[in-house]
Amino acid sequence: MRINFRNLTVQVLIAIILGVLVGHFFPKFGAELKVLADIFVKLIKMVIPPIVFFTIVTGIAGMGDMKKVGKIGGKALIYFEIVTTIALAIGIVVVNLVKPGVGIDMSTAGSQDISKYTKAAEETSHGFVDFIVSIIPDNFVAAMAKGDLLPILFFALLFGLSLAAMGSKADAVIQLFDKLTHGFFGIVNMIMKVSPIAAFGAMSYTIGNFGIDSLSNLAKLMASVYLTMFLFIIGVLGLIARYYQFNIFSFIKYIREEIMLVLGTSSSESALPRMMERLEKYGCSKSVVGLVIPTGYSFNLDGTAIYLSMAAIFIAQAYGIDLTIWQELTLLGILMLTSKGAAGVTGSGFITLAATLAAFPMIPVEGIALLLGVDRFMSEARAITNLIGNGVATVVIAKSENEFHPADAAERENAPVVSA
Protein backbone atom coordinates (compact mmCIF):
# COMPACT_ATOMS: atom_id res chain seq x y z
CA MET A 1 0.00 0.00 0.00
CA ARG A 2 1.37 3.38 -1.01
CA ILE A 3 1.77 5.91 1.80
CA ASN A 4 0.41 9.40 1.13
CA PHE A 5 2.93 11.68 2.80
CA ARG A 6 0.72 14.70 2.11
CA ASN A 7 -1.93 13.30 4.44
CA LEU A 8 -1.99 15.17 7.76
CA THR A 9 -2.45 11.97 9.79
CA VAL A 10 0.65 10.43 8.20
CA GLN A 11 2.65 13.61 8.78
CA VAL A 12 1.68 13.82 12.47
CA LEU A 13 2.43 10.12 13.02
CA ILE A 14 5.87 10.46 11.43
CA ALA A 15 6.50 13.57 13.54
CA ILE A 16 5.61 11.69 16.73
CA ILE A 17 8.01 8.84 15.86
CA LEU A 18 10.80 11.31 15.04
CA GLY A 19 10.08 13.14 18.29
CA VAL A 20 10.49 9.93 20.31
CA LEU A 21 13.81 9.20 18.58
CA VAL A 22 15.17 12.73 19.06
CA GLY A 23 14.07 12.82 22.69
CA HIS A 24 15.70 9.44 23.37
CA PHE A 25 19.03 9.95 21.61
CA PHE A 26 19.38 13.72 22.19
CA PRO A 27 17.48 14.28 25.46
CA LYS A 28 18.86 17.74 26.26
CA PHE A 29 18.05 19.06 22.81
CA GLY A 30 14.67 17.28 22.79
CA ALA A 31 13.65 18.82 26.11
CA GLU A 32 14.17 22.28 24.62
CA LEU A 33 11.74 21.62 21.76
CA LYS A 34 8.65 22.01 23.95
CA VAL A 35 8.41 25.56 22.66
CA LEU A 36 7.21 24.20 19.29
CA ALA A 37 4.18 22.60 20.92
CA ASP A 38 3.59 25.64 23.14
CA ILE A 39 3.48 27.94 20.11
CA PHE A 40 1.01 25.68 18.30
CA VAL A 41 -1.30 25.37 21.31
CA LYS A 42 -1.24 29.17 21.73
CA LEU A 43 -2.13 29.60 18.05
CA ILE A 44 -5.11 27.28 18.46
CA LYS A 45 -6.21 28.89 21.72
CA MET A 46 -6.03 32.26 19.95
CA VAL A 47 -8.99 31.40 17.71
CA ILE A 48 -11.07 29.21 20.05
CA PRO A 49 -12.94 32.02 21.94
CA PRO A 50 -14.27 33.78 18.80
CA ILE A 51 -15.09 30.47 17.08
CA VAL A 52 -17.03 29.22 20.11
CA PHE A 53 -18.84 32.55 20.49
CA PHE A 54 -19.83 32.97 16.83
CA THR A 55 -20.79 29.31 16.42
CA ILE A 56 -23.05 29.24 19.49
CA VAL A 57 -24.69 32.57 18.67
CA THR A 58 -25.45 31.65 15.04
CA GLY A 59 -26.55 28.15 16.06
CA ILE A 60 -29.02 29.32 18.71
CA ALA A 61 -30.24 32.32 16.72
CA GLY A 62 -30.77 30.05 13.70
CA MET A 63 -33.00 27.71 15.71
CA GLY A 64 -35.53 30.40 16.43
CA ASP A 65 -37.49 28.11 18.76
CA MET A 66 -36.45 28.82 22.38
CA LYS A 67 -38.03 25.60 23.61
CA LYS A 68 -35.81 23.68 21.21
CA VAL A 69 -32.68 25.41 22.52
CA GLY A 70 -33.61 24.57 26.10
CA LYS A 71 -34.48 21.00 25.20
CA ILE A 72 -31.15 20.36 23.43
CA GLY A 73 -29.13 22.05 26.17
CA GLY A 74 -30.93 20.21 28.95
CA LYS A 75 -30.66 16.88 27.19
CA ALA A 76 -26.93 17.42 26.61
CA LEU A 77 -26.26 18.23 30.29
CA ILE A 78 -28.19 15.17 31.48
CA TYR A 79 -26.24 13.00 29.02
CA PHE A 80 -22.94 14.51 30.17
CA GLU A 81 -23.69 13.85 33.85
CA ILE A 82 -24.75 10.25 33.30
CA VAL A 83 -21.80 9.31 31.07
CA THR A 84 -19.10 11.02 33.16
CA THR A 85 -20.48 9.40 36.33
CA ILE A 86 -20.23 6.01 34.60
CA ALA A 87 -16.63 6.87 33.63
CA LEU A 88 -15.76 7.80 37.22
CA ALA A 89 -17.33 4.61 38.58
CA ILE A 90 -15.53 2.39 36.05
CA GLY A 91 -12.22 4.00 36.99
CA ILE A 92 -12.77 3.35 40.70
CA VAL A 93 -13.78 -0.28 40.08
CA VAL A 94 -10.77 -1.07 37.86
CA VAL A 95 -8.18 0.58 40.12
CA ASN A 96 -9.57 -1.37 43.10
CA LEU A 97 -9.32 -4.64 41.18
CA VAL A 98 -5.83 -4.07 39.75
CA LYS A 99 -4.41 -2.23 42.81
CA PRO A 100 -1.51 -0.57 40.95
CA GLY A 101 -0.54 1.56 43.97
CA VAL A 102 0.06 -1.31 46.39
CA GLY A 103 3.76 -1.79 47.14
CA ILE A 104 4.92 1.61 45.81
CA ASP A 105 8.16 2.93 47.36
CA MET A 106 7.21 6.24 48.99
CA SER A 107 10.76 7.24 49.91
CA THR A 108 11.00 9.75 47.03
CA ALA A 109 7.45 11.06 47.19
CA GLY A 110 8.48 14.30 48.86
CA SER A 111 11.39 15.08 46.57
CA GLN A 112 9.30 16.46 43.72
CA ASP A 113 8.29 20.11 43.43
CA ILE A 114 4.49 20.15 43.69
CA SER A 115 4.01 23.70 44.99
CA LYS A 116 2.52 24.98 41.72
CA TYR A 117 -0.04 22.17 41.73
CA THR A 118 -1.06 22.60 45.36
CA LYS A 119 -1.37 26.34 44.74
CA ALA A 120 -3.54 25.66 41.70
CA ALA A 121 -5.58 23.24 43.80
CA GLU A 122 -6.29 25.96 46.35
CA GLU A 123 -7.38 28.29 43.55
CA THR A 124 -9.67 25.76 41.84
CA SER A 125 -11.09 24.06 44.95
CA HIS A 126 -14.23 26.10 45.52
CA GLY A 127 -17.83 25.46 46.37
CA PHE A 128 -20.86 25.01 44.16
CA VAL A 129 -22.00 28.63 44.64
CA ASP A 130 -18.56 29.94 43.63
CA PHE A 131 -18.67 27.71 40.56
CA ILE A 132 -22.04 29.14 39.50
CA VAL A 133 -20.86 32.72 40.08
CA SER A 134 -17.70 32.10 38.01
CA ILE A 135 -19.86 31.25 34.99
CA ILE A 136 -21.06 34.87 34.81
CA PRO A 137 -18.25 37.03 33.34
CA ASP A 138 -17.28 40.35 34.96
CA ASN A 139 -17.34 41.59 31.40
CA PHE A 140 -17.46 39.86 28.04
CA VAL A 141 -14.20 41.32 26.70
CA ALA A 142 -12.24 40.00 29.70
CA ALA A 143 -13.72 36.52 29.24
CA MET A 144 -12.72 36.54 25.56
CA ALA A 145 -9.23 37.79 26.42
CA LYS A 146 -8.71 35.07 29.04
CA GLY A 147 -10.29 32.36 26.90
CA ASP A 148 -12.64 31.28 29.73
CA LEU A 149 -15.08 28.95 27.95
CA LEU A 150 -17.90 28.88 30.51
CA PRO A 151 -18.37 32.68 30.70
CA ILE A 152 -18.13 32.86 26.90
CA LEU A 153 -20.75 30.11 26.63
CA PHE A 154 -23.04 31.95 29.02
CA PHE A 155 -22.81 35.28 27.19
CA ALA A 156 -23.10 33.63 23.76
CA LEU A 157 -26.23 31.81 24.95
CA LEU A 158 -27.86 35.07 26.05
CA PHE A 159 -26.82 36.87 22.87
CA GLY A 160 -28.09 34.03 20.69
CA LEU A 161 -31.45 34.03 22.50
CA SER A 162 -31.67 37.79 22.07
CA LEU A 163 -31.06 37.56 18.32
CA ALA A 164 -33.56 34.70 18.01
CA ALA A 165 -36.22 36.84 19.71
CA MET A 166 -35.60 39.61 17.16
CA GLY A 167 -36.68 37.36 14.30
CA SER A 168 -35.89 38.57 10.76
CA LYS A 169 -34.43 41.83 12.07
CA ALA A 170 -31.35 39.87 13.20
CA ASP A 171 -30.70 38.20 9.83
CA ALA A 172 -27.91 40.62 8.88
CA VAL A 173 -26.07 40.01 12.17
CA ILE A 174 -26.47 36.24 11.88
CA GLN A 175 -25.13 36.27 8.31
CA LEU A 176 -22.17 38.42 9.38
CA PHE A 177 -21.35 36.07 12.29
CA ASP A 178 -21.63 33.07 9.97
CA LYS A 179 -19.10 34.62 7.58
CA LEU A 180 -16.80 35.50 10.47
CA THR A 181 -16.99 31.87 11.65
CA HIS A 182 -15.84 30.64 8.24
CA GLY A 183 -13.05 33.23 8.33
CA PHE A 184 -11.76 31.92 11.65
CA PHE A 185 -11.97 28.33 10.41
CA GLY A 186 -9.77 29.45 7.53
CA ILE A 187 -7.19 30.56 10.10
CA VAL A 188 -7.47 27.14 11.75
CA ASN A 189 -6.76 25.43 8.44
CA MET A 190 -3.59 27.51 8.09
CA ILE A 191 -2.50 26.69 11.65
CA MET A 192 -3.12 22.99 11.10
CA LYS A 193 -0.44 22.85 8.42
CA VAL A 194 2.21 23.19 11.15
CA SER A 195 0.63 20.62 13.51
CA PRO A 196 3.26 17.94 12.65
CA ILE A 197 5.98 20.33 13.85
CA ALA A 198 4.07 20.80 17.11
CA ALA A 199 3.68 17.04 17.57
CA PHE A 200 7.41 16.56 16.96
CA GLY A 201 8.31 19.17 19.57
CA ALA A 202 5.87 17.80 22.16
CA MET A 203 7.13 14.22 21.91
CA SER A 204 10.79 15.29 21.83
CA TYR A 205 10.24 17.21 25.05
CA THR A 206 8.35 14.39 26.78
CA ILE A 207 10.92 11.71 26.06
CA GLY A 208 13.92 14.03 26.44
CA ASN A 209 12.76 15.40 29.78
CA PHE A 210 11.45 12.22 31.43
CA GLY A 211 13.13 9.48 29.43
CA ILE A 212 11.65 6.22 28.20
CA ASP A 213 12.69 4.51 31.46
CA SER A 214 10.43 6.87 33.40
CA LEU A 215 7.49 4.79 32.22
CA SER A 216 8.58 1.59 33.96
CA ASN A 217 7.97 2.55 37.61
CA LEU A 218 4.31 3.40 37.01
CA ALA A 219 3.69 1.06 34.08
CA LYS A 220 0.98 -0.81 35.93
CA LEU A 221 -1.03 2.34 36.59
CA MET A 222 -0.55 3.53 33.02
CA ALA A 223 -1.63 0.18 31.63
CA SER A 224 -4.70 0.23 33.87
CA VAL A 225 -5.61 3.77 32.75
CA TYR A 226 -5.16 2.98 29.07
CA LEU A 227 -7.09 -0.28 29.37
CA THR A 228 -9.94 1.38 31.25
CA MET A 229 -10.26 4.16 28.70
CA PHE A 230 -10.16 1.64 25.85
CA LEU A 231 -12.92 -0.41 27.48
CA PHE A 232 -14.93 2.75 28.11
CA ILE A 233 -14.67 3.86 24.47
CA ILE A 234 -15.42 0.43 22.98
CA GLY A 235 -17.86 -0.71 25.67
CA VAL A 236 -19.83 2.27 27.00
CA LEU A 237 -19.51 4.67 24.05
CA GLY A 238 -19.72 1.74 21.62
CA LEU A 239 -23.04 0.60 23.09
CA ILE A 240 -24.39 4.15 23.06
CA ALA A 241 -23.34 4.52 19.42
CA ARG A 242 -24.91 1.21 18.50
CA TYR A 243 -28.19 2.19 20.16
CA TYR A 244 -28.23 5.37 18.06
CA GLN A 245 -27.36 3.40 14.92
CA PHE A 246 -23.80 4.42 14.13
CA ASN A 247 -20.58 2.46 14.44
CA ILE A 248 -17.97 3.59 16.99
CA PHE A 249 -15.08 2.20 14.92
CA SER A 250 -16.23 3.98 11.75
CA PHE A 251 -16.64 7.20 13.74
CA ILE A 252 -13.14 6.91 15.24
CA LYS A 253 -11.75 6.33 11.75
CA TYR A 254 -13.59 9.42 10.51
CA ILE A 255 -11.97 11.68 13.15
CA ARG A 256 -8.54 9.99 12.97
CA GLU A 257 -6.74 13.21 11.98
CA GLU A 258 -8.10 15.01 15.03
CA ILE A 259 -7.11 12.04 17.23
CA MET A 260 -3.56 12.09 15.86
CA LEU A 261 -3.38 15.81 16.56
CA VAL A 262 -4.48 15.25 20.15
CA LEU A 263 -1.96 12.41 20.48
CA GLY A 264 0.83 14.73 19.45
CA THR A 265 -0.15 17.72 21.58
CA SER A 266 -1.79 15.94 24.57
CA SER A 267 -4.57 18.52 24.40
CA SER A 268 -8.11 17.84 23.22
CA GLU A 269 -8.59 21.60 22.93
CA SER A 270 -6.11 21.72 20.05
CA ALA A 271 -8.63 19.80 17.92
CA LEU A 272 -11.75 21.67 19.02
CA PRO A 273 -12.19 23.94 15.96
CA ARG A 274 -11.48 21.13 13.52
CA MET A 275 -13.77 18.76 15.45
CA MET A 276 -16.68 21.17 15.16
CA GLU A 277 -16.15 21.45 11.43
CA ARG A 278 -15.83 17.67 11.00
CA LEU A 279 -19.01 16.94 12.94
CA GLU A 280 -20.96 19.29 10.71
CA LYS A 281 -19.62 17.41 7.68
CA TYR A 282 -20.55 14.15 9.39
CA GLY A 283 -24.18 15.23 9.40
CA CYS A 284 -24.83 17.00 12.71
CA SER A 285 -26.62 20.33 12.41
CA LYS A 286 -24.57 23.45 13.04
CA SER A 287 -26.83 24.47 15.92
CA VAL A 288 -26.31 21.18 17.79
CA VAL A 289 -22.55 21.18 17.16
CA GLY A 290 -22.24 24.77 18.31
CA LEU A 291 -24.10 24.09 21.54
CA VAL A 292 -22.93 20.57 22.50
CA ILE A 293 -19.21 20.53 21.66
CA PRO A 294 -18.12 23.71 23.55
CA THR A 295 -20.32 22.76 26.53
CA GLY A 296 -18.88 19.24 26.48
CA TYR A 297 -15.36 20.62 26.86
CA SER A 298 -16.33 21.74 30.37
CA PHE A 299 -18.97 19.18 31.37
CA ASN A 300 -18.20 15.99 29.43
CA LEU A 301 -14.55 15.09 30.01
CA ASP A 302 -14.84 11.30 30.17
CA GLY A 303 -11.10 10.63 29.95
CA THR A 304 -10.32 13.15 32.67
CA ALA A 305 -13.01 11.59 34.87
CA ILE A 306 -11.46 8.13 34.52
CA TYR A 307 -7.98 9.50 35.21
CA LEU A 308 -9.09 11.42 38.31
CA SER A 309 -10.80 8.46 39.94
CA MET A 310 -7.95 6.03 39.22
CA ALA A 311 -5.18 8.46 40.21
CA ALA A 312 -6.86 9.36 43.52
CA ILE A 313 -7.31 5.72 44.57
CA PHE A 314 -3.78 4.92 43.32
CA ILE A 315 -2.32 7.53 45.68
CA ALA A 316 -4.40 6.14 48.56
CA GLN A 317 -3.08 2.65 47.83
CA ALA A 318 0.50 3.94 47.67
CA TYR A 319 0.14 5.49 51.13
CA GLY A 320 -1.49 2.34 52.49
CA ILE A 321 -4.83 4.08 53.07
CA ASP A 322 -7.70 1.61 52.98
CA LEU A 323 -10.81 3.55 52.01
CA THR A 324 -14.23 2.23 52.98
CA ILE A 325 -17.00 1.91 50.41
CA TRP A 326 -18.66 5.03 51.84
CA GLN A 327 -15.45 7.01 51.63
CA GLU A 328 -15.04 5.98 48.01
CA LEU A 329 -18.63 7.01 47.30
CA THR A 330 -17.89 10.37 48.93
CA LEU A 331 -14.81 10.68 46.72
CA LEU A 332 -16.98 9.84 43.71
CA GLY A 333 -19.37 12.65 44.67
CA ILE A 334 -16.50 15.15 44.96
CA LEU A 335 -15.08 14.02 41.63
CA MET A 336 -18.49 14.54 39.98
CA LEU A 337 -18.10 18.24 40.83
CA THR A 338 -14.37 18.81 40.41
CA SER A 339 -14.21 16.96 37.09
CA LYS A 340 -16.58 19.57 35.64
CA GLY A 341 -14.01 22.26 36.33
CA ALA A 342 -11.29 20.70 34.19
CA ALA A 343 -10.85 22.31 30.78
CA GLY A 344 -9.57 20.35 27.81
CA VAL A 345 -6.01 21.68 27.99
CA THR A 346 -2.72 20.02 28.84
CA GLY A 347 -2.17 19.56 32.59
CA SER A 348 -5.69 20.55 33.69
CA GLY A 349 -6.51 17.00 34.81
CA PHE A 350 -3.44 17.01 37.05
CA ILE A 351 -4.39 20.35 38.63
CA THR A 352 -7.98 19.18 39.11
CA LEU A 353 -6.64 16.05 40.84
CA ALA A 354 -4.81 18.29 43.30
CA ALA A 355 -8.01 20.26 43.87
CA THR A 356 -9.93 17.03 44.47
CA LEU A 357 -7.46 15.75 47.05
CA ALA A 358 -7.48 19.14 48.76
CA ALA A 359 -11.23 18.68 49.23
CA PHE A 360 -10.83 15.05 50.40
CA PRO A 361 -8.41 15.07 53.38
CA MET A 362 -8.30 11.26 53.63
CA ILE A 363 -5.76 11.20 50.76
CA PRO A 364 -2.64 13.41 51.10
CA VAL A 365 -2.33 15.95 48.29
CA GLU A 366 1.46 15.45 48.42
CA GLY A 367 0.88 12.11 46.73
CA ILE A 368 0.48 13.79 43.36
CA ALA A 369 4.28 13.93 43.29
CA LEU A 370 4.15 10.24 42.37
CA LEU A 371 2.51 11.10 39.07
CA LEU A 372 4.64 14.05 37.95
CA GLY A 373 6.94 11.99 35.73
CA VAL A 374 4.29 10.11 33.78
CA ASP A 375 1.26 12.39 33.86
CA ARG A 376 2.20 13.63 30.41
CA PHE A 377 1.83 10.14 28.95
CA MET A 378 -1.54 9.56 30.58
CA SER A 379 -2.76 13.00 29.51
CA GLU A 380 -2.65 11.82 25.89
CA ALA A 381 -5.04 8.97 26.67
CA ARG A 382 -7.50 11.14 28.57
CA ALA A 383 -7.40 13.88 25.91
CA ILE A 384 -8.23 11.36 23.16
CA THR A 385 -11.03 9.87 25.30
CA ASN A 386 -12.41 13.37 25.92
CA LEU A 387 -12.37 14.08 22.18
CA ILE A 388 -14.15 10.85 21.21
CA GLY A 389 -16.64 11.21 24.07
CA ASN A 390 -17.66 14.71 23.02
CA GLY A 391 -17.92 13.62 19.39
CA VAL A 392 -20.21 10.73 20.28
CA ALA A 393 -22.30 13.01 22.51
CA THR A 394 -22.84 15.45 19.65
CA VAL A 395 -23.97 12.72 17.25
CA VAL A 396 -26.27 11.26 19.92
CA ILE A 397 -27.94 14.61 20.67
CA ALA A 398 -28.22 15.41 16.94
CA LYS A 399 -29.86 12.06 16.19
CA SER A 400 -32.21 12.23 19.18
CA GLU A 401 -33.38 15.69 18.06
CA ASN A 402 -33.69 14.74 14.36
CA GLU A 403 -30.83 17.16 13.62
CA PHE A 404 -28.61 14.58 11.91
CA HIS A 405 -28.68 14.78 8.10
CA PRO A 406 -25.54 13.29 6.50
CA ALA A 407 -26.83 13.62 2.95
CA ASP A 408 -27.53 17.34 3.37
CA ALA A 409 -24.14 17.86 5.01
CA ALA A 410 -22.37 16.06 2.17
CA GLU A 411 -24.08 18.24 -0.40
CA ARG A 412 -23.43 21.44 1.55
CA GLU A 413 -19.77 20.75 2.34
CA ASN A 414 -18.98 18.88 -0.89
CA ALA A 415 -17.91 15.88 1.19
CA PRO A 416 -18.67 12.17 0.73
CA VAL A 417 -21.85 10.94 2.39
CA VAL A 418 -21.24 9.27 5.76
CA SER A 419 -23.60 6.39 6.37
CA ALA A 420 -25.66 6.54 9.53
Side-chain angles (χ1 to χ4, degrees):
M1 183 178 66
R2 187 175 181 180
I3 299 176
N4 182 12
F5 290 98
R6 292 186 178 182
N7 184 276
L8 185 64
T9 304
V10 174
Q11 292 176 0
V12 172
L13 184 59
I14 292 173
I16 290 173
I17 295 172
L18 291 175
V20 171
L21 294 174
V22 170
H24 179 61
F25 292 106
F26 308 98
K28 186 176 181 181
F29 174 69
E32 295 175 353
L33 295 178
K34 183 175 180 288
V35 65
L36 299 176
D38 291 341
I39 291 173
F40 176 79
V41 172
K42 288 193 69 175
L43 286 170
I44 289 292
K45 290 175 70 175
M46 173 182 70
V47 296
I48 283 177
I51 284 178
V52 168
F53 175 72
F54 290 132
T55 303
I56 292 176
V57 170
T58 54
I60 293 176
M63 282 185 185
D65 187 354
M66 296 301 97
K67 290 183 179 179
K68 190 174 183 181
V69 174
K71 184 180 179 182
I72 292 176
K75 184 177 289 187
L77 290 176
I78 292 172
Y79 173 92
F80 294 160
E81 190 59 49
I82 292 173
V83 176
T84 52
T85 301
I86 292 173
L88 287 166
I90 291 175
I92 289 178
V93 170
V94 172
V95 77
N96 275 301
L97 290 175
V98 179
K99 299 185 183 300
V102 175
I104 291 288
D105 182 8
M106 296 301 298
S107 60
T108 60
S111 64
Q112 305 267 10
D113 179 19
I114 60 169
S115 58
K116 63 179 180 179
Y117 298 104
T118 54
K119 182 180 179 181
E122 294 170 0
E123 294 174 354
T124 56
S125 181
H126 48 60
F128 179 74
V129 174
D130 294 323
F131 174 73
I132 296 298
V133 172
S134 68
I135 295 176
I136 305 173
D138 293 326
N139 65 78
F140 173 63
V141 176
M144 290 287 284
K146 294 179 181 178
D148 294 334
L149 279 185
L150 284 180
I152 293 173
L153 283 168
F154 180 77
F155 186 83
L157 176 65
L158 295 180
F159 197 73
L161 292 173
S162 176
L163 291 180
M166 291 173 62
S168 59
K169 294 180 181 179
D171 288 348
V173 177
I174 296 173
Q175 291 174 8
L176 173 62
F177 279 17
D178 186 61
K179 291 178 181 178
L180 287 171
T181 302
H182 283 86
F184 278 103
F185 273 122
I187 297 176
V188 171
N189 290 333
M190 288 188 280
I191 296 173
M192 289 303 299
K193 294 183 184 298
V194 301
S195 60
I197 298 175
F200 168 74
M203 292 307 298
S204 296
Y205 160 75
T206 300
I207 302 300
N209 194 45
F210 301 116
I212 292 179
D213 291 341
S214 65
L215 302 180
S216 59
N217 60 328
L218 293 175
K220 194 173 182 181
L221 173 64
M222 290 182 57
S224 301
V225 170
Y226 273 75
L227 177 62
T228 305
M229 292 185 183
F230 175 79
L231 293 175
F232 176 80
I233 292 171
I234 303 304
V236 178
L237 297 183
L239 288 174
I240 293 173
R242 184 175 181 180
Y243 180 80
Y244 283 92
Q245 299 180 336
F246 68 102
N247 186 278
I248 189 66
F249 296 103
S250 298
F251 181 73
I252 291 173
K253 183 179 179 181
Y254 177 76
I255 60 170
R256 61 187 180 278
E257 290 188 2
E258 287 69 34
I259 291 175
M260 293 306 300
L261 175 61
V262 170
L263 178 63
T265 62
S266 294
S267 171
S268 57
E269 191 176 55
S270 63
L272 187 150
R274 275 284 295 262
M275 192 66 175
M276 294 173 72
E277 189 176 25
R278 294 285 284 173
L279 285 169
E280 284 187 46
K281 289 183 178 180
Y282 193 71
C284 302
S285 69
K286 185 173 184 177
S287 55
V288 171
V289 172
L291 190 60
V292 176
I293 280 287
T295 308
Y297 266 68
S298 291
F299 291 94
N300 189 43
L301 301 176
D302 301 325
T304 302
I306 291 172
Y307 167 81
L308 289 173
S309 60
M310 297 189 73
I313 300 297
F314 169 82
I315 293 172
Q317 292 172 352
Y319 278 90
I321 300 171
D322 188 18
L323 299 176
T324 66
I325 183 64
W326 295 111
Q327 288 171 333
E328 291 195 4
L329 288 175
T330 301
L331 177 62
L332 177 63
I334 294 173
L335 287 169
M336 286 171 63
L337 295 176
T338 56
S339 63
K340 302 299 183 291
V345 295
T346 307
S348 63
F350 200 55
I351 292 173
T352 306
L353 173 62
T356 302
L357 298 185
F360 189 77
M362 287 295 298
I363 304 175
V365 69
E366 294 82 5
I368 63 174
L370 290 168
L371 305 173
L372 281 173
V374 294
D375 176 75
R376 173 81 188 190
F377 296 96
M378 288 186 286
S379 71
E380 295 164 354
R382 63 178 180 251
I384 290 173
T385 306
N386 291 340
L387 181 79
I388 296 173
N390 279 315
V392 170
T394 305
V395 177
V396 166
I397 300 301
K399 280 177 170 283
S400 67
E401 288 296 309
N402 197 28
E403 293 284 339
F404 183 78
H405 308 290
D408 294 343
E411 183 179 350
R412 184 175 64 252
E413 302 290 346
N414 193 27
V417 176
V418 180
S419 62

